[in-house]
Amino acid sequence: MKAFAIDVATLQTVAAGVLDGSGILLEANAGFLRLLPDRGVTPIGAKVARYFIQPSFAALLLAAGENAAEGYRGLMTIGDIAGRTRTLRGQALGARNGLRVLAEYDIAELERLNEAVLALNRDSSVTQHALTQANVSLKEREGKLVEDSLTDALTGVGNRRRLEQALVIEIARVRRDGGTLSAIMADVDHFKRVNDVYGHDAGDRVLTQFGALLRSQTRLTDVVARFGGEEFFVLMPQAGIAQAAAKAENFRSTLAAARFDPLDGPVTASFGVAELALDETGEGLLKRADTALYQAKESGRNRVVTAGSNPDVGV
């Protein structure tokens, strides 16, 4: 979908849509279409403003106009007022004299709160107290859902989605304010052998301990993420390639000196390091770090290679 930074067209758990100022639907993903009454046809080009129950489409437009930076954030009830509706937490922002809507399907309890939320618009102290408590509860739940969605369940570090989110933010910062951004890609050497010889439980312990090592040696501003399998990334804002390579060497030497029960020998990892180049995309930065990592593997493993440098750096 052109109006969103990531491809959300096929997602069912996220509702994303773009409407013009009169409420005509211009773009919609699968999750947004789930909210509308089934008429047997895709309603692109149809006026769907009436399906915004609470807040109304007019109220969302007004909120977007009064606060362009934030628009409307909160609960949105969408659907057929005479039939089925869904209440989701989301955001509506102004977009080309219309609205860009993004909302996330919450867990079952949010469905049960539907009637209560619609009734909480009365001006009374009891209602205001209930609304405050409901908002606190929903914000806590939203925070937990967001945190879980960005965390690798095994190691506790960030996941691929967390890395991709951080890349967008940090590259925008570099473009706006200047500075540097470096990425370290790490891959545990001979990890298949660990699983084959000692079992997957031992392999999971290696990954968990390696993730903990990376977190313990990084700054609060750095982002540690498991990219998949035995691959990890460390994103380092305001760090040049020399600083990032030195940090990767600390990771390498600390891991090589550690011991993992019941393994009878050390665990090592190879590292590739790259610094964001002028006008480079996040994908380009990660790809160059991956290429440097491949060079480290090819030149003997258990070493650090910087993008475009001598493969023997950090041996």
Side-chain angles (χ1 to χ4, degrees), residues 35-141:
L35 299 172
L36 304 181
D38 183 10
R39 300 183 181 275
V41 294
T42 301
I44 301 299
K47 192 167 185 177
V48 298
R50 65 185 181 278
Y51 297 128
F52 287 81
I53 310 301
Q54 179 70 20
S56 67
F57 181 74
L60 292 174
L61 273 179
L62 182 61
E66 290 181 342
N67 189 357
E70 291 291 333
Y72 171 82
R73 289 178 180 269
L75 295 178
M76 291 188 287
T77 300
I78 303 174
D80 188 346
I81 194 169
R84 179 182 61 83
T85 63
R86 293 292 298 263
T87 298
L88 302 89
R89 176 167 288 278
Q91 181 179 19
L93 287 168
R96 296 182 183 178
N97 298 321
L99 280 181
R100 184 171 67 250
V101 177
L102 186 62
E104 188 169 1
Y105 286 79
D106 206 338
I107 58 179
E109 184 173 338
L110 197 54
E111 283 284 292
R112 296 194 293 271
L113 287 174
N114 187 27
E115 288 188 19
V117 171
L118 292 175
L120 287 178
N121 266 341
R122 295 188 296 271
D123 184 17
S124 71
S125 60
V126 173
T127 299
Q128 290 302 316
H129 176 73
L131 179 60
T132 299
Q133 294 299 108
N135 282 337
V136 169
S137 176
L138 286 169
K139 285 182 182 296
E140 290 175 350
R141 294 167 67 83

